[in-house]
Amino acid sequence: SPATAKPKTTKKHNARLNNPFPRAVPAAAFRNGDAAPPLSFGPFSKLAHAHDYPVGSRFRLSWNPSLGGAVSLAGVPSSSGGGDPRSRVMWETIPGVAFVSAASTTTEADECRGSFALRDGRARLVPGRQSVDRIRSLYRCDVEAGAAFEASDQTRFPVLLITGVVSAKKADPASSCCCGLRAGRRAKARAGKPILSARYWVFLEEKSDTQVSMSKKKKLSAGFPAQEEVSALLPPPERASADEEARPEEFNRVFLTYASERDERFYGFGEQFSCMEFKGRRVPVLVQEQGIGRGDQPITFAANLLSYRSGGNWSTTYAPSPFYLTSKMRSLYLEGYDYSIFDLTKPDRVQIQVYGNSVQGRILQGESPTELITSYTGSTGRPPVLPRWITSGAVVGMQGGTEAVRRVWRQLQDHDVPVSAFWLQDWVGQRKTAIGSQLWWNWEVDDDHYAGWKDLIRDLRRDGVRTMTYCNPCLVPMGEKGNARRHLYEEAKELGILVRDEAGEPYMMPNTAFDVAMLDFTNPEASSWFKGILRGMADEGVSGWMADFGEGLPLDARLHSGEDPVAAHNRYPELWARVNREFADEWKSEAGEEDGLVFFVRAGFRESSRWAMLFWEGDQMVSWQANDGIKSSVVGLLSGGLSGIPLNHSDAGGYCTVDLPLLRYRRSEELLMRWMEVNAFTVVFRTHEGNKPGSNCQFYSNSRTLAHFARCAKIYKAWEFYRVQLVKEAAEKGLPVARHLFLHYPEDRRVQKLTYQQFLVGTEMLVVPVLDKGRTAVTAYFPTSDGGSWRHVWTGEEFGGGHRSGHGSVGEATVHGFEAEVSADVGCPAVFVRVGSPVGERFVRNLRDLGVI
């Protein structure tokens, strides 16, 4: 049916030259106003009068017939009465405007090496009108009497039901018609007439003390009848017409439209790299490669020109989420995995377009951002407490084989660097490709490249250092690699556990410089088989790994489960993380807490934190630029933290390197040093050589870089005690280790505008990193609304209280705080601790003991 049909997908893998300026977010077939038609209700029904309806015991829905009708959802105030913040409105519609509407259109998609663009094609039916026929509270006795709601023992009655009808009308015909002038006139005469109507059911159910779900039988909130039922609702003349254009259609777009305030700021939407706040934008929620450059020039132009959409844009991300929270303490997230677009371009409303025929989600209540995130992650999932070893020192990312690792390990010992692990991504061997040194995607050790592999792991472990490796959910044929013991691609093909194309053959996907096949984790046999691969790694002594990729499932794939590949595309990263997590948990139950494994992922969706132990931010450019480089790594860290990704970090120094005669992005010594300073205050401190190690400055390049790496590793070590607390808090409440100041100062307008300029570590440390080339000072902003003061770690100078303090205003909103210029030489980043904080005092004391101060 049109609601579940695969999109018309165009493969762009082999295009030689492409549009260097593709549209960031594909245009919609429906303008915001078109998808929000009028709302109506019976003037002589009960809806002619205002009324409140209970939703469970803690919430209420209010109906107001004024100005065309509107509903609002709020908490029930406590018995003490006035001023209770729980009675604040959580969600409300626009008077006289449909809050549920539907349409039908074709779907088109472009795809190229992990980059995707989904868009509306030809509009067939555009939203008509929404009527509200009845609002009713359902109690258990109603369900027992046959009311259409699936209740359980945990259902909190009453459940609210809103019923009515949505209609759609013919889209405007094309100016020319191949059926002739008469047919064209007939189509034009029908344009605008309602030709399809369907009944909807919106259920509002109290799910917890802080959440209300919108659902129908735990699946739909706007439910539409099956094709034959829709057909029966069509007016007889239209249904009887033999004209192909008048045949019954099924809705495959659903819109939710509701109110927002002009000054309301929107945060979240997963791990975003360019924006922290989204009012005024259309935000697509689709897992994909983040891109190379993402708007920074000239690299984005070059990447897009040579490979379709490979440059990315402000919205492309590995780990989006259909979730937001706002400065008005409103929050909502969608359930399910359908592609969606959040349209925030109009100042008075939010409109969500879902590529499907149903919508389900939850509305959250909270008095602060921390409460909203705790509520959100309480239902979507939180990571486990990390094993202590991964956060006890630096994770040294390097390549080159056994002797190279041993040589660098001796250098690190000479500099007294606290090291927790060596992360050796090239354990499988290296191959030279057009983009640099890449790996053989066949997950076994290359005995030639890492001779004495088990001895290396044992010797490092004897010194308290773990070994970590690399894998991803893809496999390649190994005919060109002479020393392969197993051919995992051939094994998986024989077992039938690879994603298939329409011909039923393994789907070979161009990925960077070679073609790969992808494991189909909708097949339980694929999960079991891959766990065997992971067990082989762990049996050799490996303590963790990067679980790379997961964002590239083709939109026209055939899956074992038979599910819609577009929705499965967003779900795949969760399946991938789950396979890794299940094995890590199995190993922990056998080997014990002390030998716990750690894996880290880059691709994700709404519930990835339920399965992923740790995130990293993927492949940033080795650049100072804003959209893809050191600055975007901070934005991704903080936006992810506001979206239920509490444990995250980036490659120190970045990854993507370009070293061509006319286009060069190479990691400088200064960039590497400043990036180390940032990452010394994230949950994991890990280096990466990049895709062209020889073109980049490395931590082992010279005595200066080694000394600086040792210093940053010791800074990281000095707050290990606090990191342990924050990791536990992340597991218990979903709060991030590195935090945007909005989490704790949400009413401060200056804070609301911050992006990458500064961040908190927990609540007791403030970091203002240098993110621009050649800078030796930063401008720090110190909020004072909580009456606190901050002490500079290196000088002891205090900011706050009576020192340099002040306040001003921005428009109508008050700014409680002040700015100060602070020196930040290389090696002494601008770091502050809260005055009087035991955490801050211990951190400074540890820095002295480690010889950093």
Side-chain angles (χ1 to χ4, degrees):
S1 69
T4 58
K6 295 178 183 178
K8 179 183 177 182
T9 302
T10 302
K11 305 292 185 179
K12 301 280 190 174
H13 306 305
N14 299 316
R16 295 294 182 90
L17 293 177
N18 301 276
N19 177 11
F21 302 109
R23 184 188 293 268
V25 183
F30 314 98
R31 294 186 297 273
N32 191 299
D34 294 337
L39 180 72
S40 64
F41 60 95
F44 303 108
S45 68
K46 294 181 179 179
L47 297 176
H49 305 284
H51 194 74
D52 286 352
Y53 302 86
V55 181
S57 62
R58 300 180 64 87
F59 303 96
R60 67 181 178 190
L61 184 92
S62 298
W63 163 258
N64 186 345
S66 301
L67 303 176
V71 295
S72 62
L73 181 69
V76 175
S78 64
S79 56
S80 58
D84 189 341
R86 288 186 301 177
S87 62
R88 178 175 40 83
V89 172
M90 304 157 55
W91 182 82
E92 59 187 329
T93 65
I94 304 167
V97 175
F99 53 89
V100 175
S101 55
S104 177
T105 181
T106 59
T107 304
E108 299 174 354
D110 295 332
E111 180 179 331
C112 180
R113 290 178 168 82
S115 296
F116 301 87
L118 266 171
R119 61 182 174 273
D120 297 331
R122 180 177 60 88
R124 297 178 293 212
L125 297 173
V126 299
R129 176 180 293 271
Q130 177 194 1
S131 70
V132 178
D133 296 345
R134 188 179 185 187
I135 302 177
R136 176 190 178 193
S137 294
L138 298 179
Y139 293 84
R140 188 170 294 278
C141 59
D142 297 310
V143 174
E144 292 172 350
F149 179 78
E150 290 185 1
S152 69
D153 294 339
Q154 286 73 46
T155 300
R156 301 184 178 190
F157 287 100
V159 174
L160 191 74
L161 170 61
I162 304 174
T163 60
V165 172
V166 291
S167 64
K169 55 190 178 183
K170 199 76 176 163
D172 290 338
S175 57
S176 62
C177 180
C178 62
C179 298
L181 180 62
R182 183 179 178 185
R185 287 175 176 171
R186 187 168 64 246
K188 187 172 183 179
R190 286 199 306 268
K193 292 182 179 180
I195 67 164
L196 181 65
S197 298
R199 182 159 294 280
Y200 68 86
W201 306 268
V202 174
F203 288 94
L204 297 176
E205 178 188 358
E206 178 184 313
K207 280 292 187 180
S208 72
D209 291 350
T210 60
Q211 295 189 4
V212 173
S213 73
M214 300 182 293
S215 63
K216 197 313 190 152
K217 295 183 179 179
K218 298 183 180 178
K219 182 179 180 183
L220 306 176
S221 67
F224 303 102
Q227 185 69 45
E228 60 274 12
E229 297 176 271
V230 171
S231 177
L233 292 170
L234 294 175
E238 294 292 334
R239 188 177 65 238
S241 173
D243 186 354
E244 189 272 337
E245 288 296 317
R247 63 181 170 81
E249 300 282 3
E250 185 176 337
F251 292 136
N252 64 0
R253 296 290 189 275
V254 179
F255 301 86
L256 289 180
T257 305
Y258 50 94
S260 173
E261 297 182 36
R262 182 176 295 272
D263 63 344
E264 190 168 16
R265 294 180 177 271
F266 286 73
Y267 304 89
F269 296 109
E271 182 185 61
Q272 299 285 336
F273 294 103
S274 293
C275 303
M276 190 63 66
E277 197 276 315
F278 294 89
K279 187 75 166 183
R281 295 181 179 268
R282 293 176 66 236
V283 187
V285 183
L286 183 68
V287 172
Q288 61 179 309
E289 285 270 2
Q290 70 145 12
I292 303 172
R294 306 183 68 260
D296 293 334
Q297 299 299 354
I299 184 61
T300 305
F301 177 97
N304 281 335
L305 186 67
L306 297 177
S307 182
Y308 180 76
R309 296 186 73 90
S310 293
N313 57 67
W314 67 265
S315 71
T316 49
T317 171
Y318 309 104
S321 181
F323 161 82
Y324 67 76
L325 71 166
T326 81
S327 57
K328 303 297 182 182
M329 298 306 114
R330 295 175 177 173
S331 183
L332 175 147
Y333 74 88
L334 297 184
E335 298 175 295
Y337 297 91
D338 288 331
Y339 174 53
S340 60
I341 300 175
F342 287 69
D343 190 337
L344 310 175
T345 56
K346 287 199 171 183
D348 68 335
R349 69 189 60 184
V350 175
Q351 185 170 91
I352 305 173
Q353 177 182 352
V354 178
Y355 278 49
N357 62 2
S358 65
V359 183
Q360 55 274 352
R362 297 196 185 189
I363 302 166
L364 311 183
Q365 182 189 59
E367 299 176 29
S368 67
T370 55
E371 288 189 6
L372 291 171
I373 290 175
T374 299
S375 174
Y376 171 60
T377 59
S379 55
T380 59
R382 300 164 183 151
V385 173
L386 293 174
R388 283 288 297 270
W389 65 262
I390 187 69
T391 57
S392 65
V395 177
V396 179
M398 63 170 297
Q399 304 174 85
T402 303
E403 290 308 312
V405 172
R406 291 188 181 277
R407 181 181 66 254
V408 170
W409 175 225
R410 288 192 293 269
Q411 291 177 304
L412 294 174
Q413 288 175 310
D414 291 342
H415 284 77
D416 195 27
V417 180
V419 174
S420 66
F422 271 82
W423 171 58
L424 309 175
Q425 69 163 11
D426 66 336
W427 73 295
V428 292
Q430 290 182 322
R431 60 196 301 189
K432 296 296 182 182
T433 70
I435 69 169
S437 297
Q438 292 187 272
L439 309 179
W440 284 106
W441 291 9
N442 189 64
W443 315 121
E444 63 176 12
V445 68
D446 186 312
D447 291 320
D448 296 338
H449 195 49
Y450 278 95
W453 173 246
K454 292 183 180 179
D455 292 337
L456 175 64
I457 293 174
R458 186 185 62 249
D459 293 346
L460 289 173
R461 184 65 179 271
R462 188 184 299 121
D463 287 336
V465 178
R466 307 288 182 125
T467 301
M468 304 182 75
T469 57
Y470 172 98
C471 66
N472 67 53
C474 301
L475 301 167
V476 297
M478 297 301 291
E480 299 177 12
K481 191 173 190 289
N483 65 342
R485 297 190 306 275
R486 294 180 66 181
H487 291 254
L488 299 183
Y489 166 80
E490 297 295 341
E491 291 182 28
K493 180 180 178 181
E494 182 69 23
L495 291 170
I497 57 175
L498 296 172
V499 171
R500 293 170 294 156
D501 59 21
E502 292 190 355
E505 296 298 318
Y507 203 130
M508 300 305 295
M509 298 165 284
N511 188 297
T512 62
F514 46 85
D515 291 350
V516 304
M518 201 169 188
L519 287 163
D520 182 357
F521 289 120
T522 70
N523 186 341
E525 290 186 20
S527 300
S528 299
W529 181 80
F530 196 80
K531 288 178 188 178
I533 304 299
L534 297 176
R535 180 167 291 279
M537 290 165 46
D539 284 342
E540 291 182 339
V542 169
S543 295
W545 58 92
M546 173 188 280
D548 201 0
F549 288 97
E551 64 277 342
L553 182 71
L555 302 180
D556 57 351
R558 287 179 57 188
L559 300 170
H560 173 80
S561 64
E563 64 191 274
D564 172 24
V566 176
H569 173 87
N570 278 341
R571 190 166 81 95
Y572 191 92
E574 294 181 6
L575 296 174
W576 170 228
R578 181 171 183 170
V579 171
N580 288 271
R581 174 64 180 281
E582 286 179 349
F583 173 71
D585 287 349
E586 291 168 9
W587 182 268
K588 180 180 174 181
S589 66
E590 299 168 9
E593 188 86 30
E594 188 174 329
D595 283 322
L597 303 174
V598 176
F599 68 93
F600 50 104
V601 303
R602 76 176 187 183
F605 202 66
R606 179 190 58 247
E607 296 186 16
S608 285
S609 286
R610 182 187 304 278
W611 306 110
M613 301 182 75
L614 173 68
F615 270 80
W616 105 98
E617 298 179 61
D619 301 342
Q620 278 76 52
M621 293 291 299
V622 291
S623 163
W624 298 96
Q625 291 181 287
N627 292 295
D628 192 6
I630 189 172
K631 295 182 181 70
S632 70
S633 76
V634 178
V635 176
L637 179 72
L638 304 183
S639 63
L642 290 174
S643 304
I645 303 176
L647 304 179
N648 202 355
H649 71 295
S650 68
D651 300 329
Y655 172 81
C656 284
T657 309
V658 179
D659 195 3
L660 300 173
L662 299 178
L663 187 65
R664 285 184 171 166
Y665 286 78
R666 298 184 296 188
R667 182 195 296 161
S668 67
E669 181 176 305
E670 182 186 4
L671 177 67
L672 175 62
M673 288 182 170
R674 290 306 194 184
W675 213 314
M676 287 180 186
E677 291 173 0
V678 174
N679 284 18
F681 294 95
T682 59
V683 65
V684 168
F685 179 42
R686 181 181 56 82
T687 65
H688 199 313
E689 292 183 322
N691 62 306
K692 291 182 178 290
S695 300
N696 289 328
C697 181
Q698 306 294 347
F699 72 86
Y700 51 77
S701 290
N702 55 55
S703 59
R704 293 185 304 276
T705 54
L706 265 170
H708 189 75
F709 179 54
R711 181 177 177 83
C712 289
K714 290 175 182 177
I715 292 172
Y716 175 77
K717 183 72 174 179
W719 63 281
E720 179 185 4
F721 70 97
Y722 189 38
R723 194 158 52 248
V724 170
Q725 297 177 32
L726 296 177
V727 168
K728 183 178 180 182
E729 188 174 33
E732 293 176 348
K733 297 181 179 180
L735 298 181
V737 172
R739 302 177 183 181
H740 193 282
L741 273 70
F742 176 72
L743 271 179
H744 299 289
Y745 304 95
E747 297 179 358
D748 190 320
R749 270 303 177 99
R750 179 73 175 81
V751 164
Q752 292 175 5
K753 295 179 180 179
L754 291 174
T755 52
Y756 49 72
Q757 293 84 358
Q758 60 190 71
F759 59 91
L760 292 167
V761 177
T763 58
E764 306 304 292
M765 299 164 64
L766 176 66
V767 180
V768 189
V770 173
L771 303 175
D772 290 296
K773 182 179 180 180
R775 289 286 302 275
T776 58
V778 294
T779 300
Y781 176 71
F782 300 94
T784 56
S785 58
D786 58 0
S789 299
W790 296 89
R791 177 177 291 116
H792 191 257
V793 165
W794 312 114
T795 66
E797 185 177 6
E798 291 187 16
F799 298 82
H803 185 74
R804 297 195 189 180
S805 62
H807 55 79
S809 64
V810 177
E812 300 177 358
T814 300
V815 177
H816 294 286
F818 63 94
E819 292 183 346
E821 192 83 2
V822 181
S823 65
D825 293 329
V826 172
C828 295
V831 182
F832 307 85
V833 294
R834 196 178 292 277
V835 173
S837 164
V839 169
E841 293 172 359
R842 185 174 175 184
F843 174 54
V844 173
R845 186 166 62 250
N846 288 348
L847 288 173
R848 291 196 183 98
D849 293 342
L850 290 165
V852 180
I853 295 181

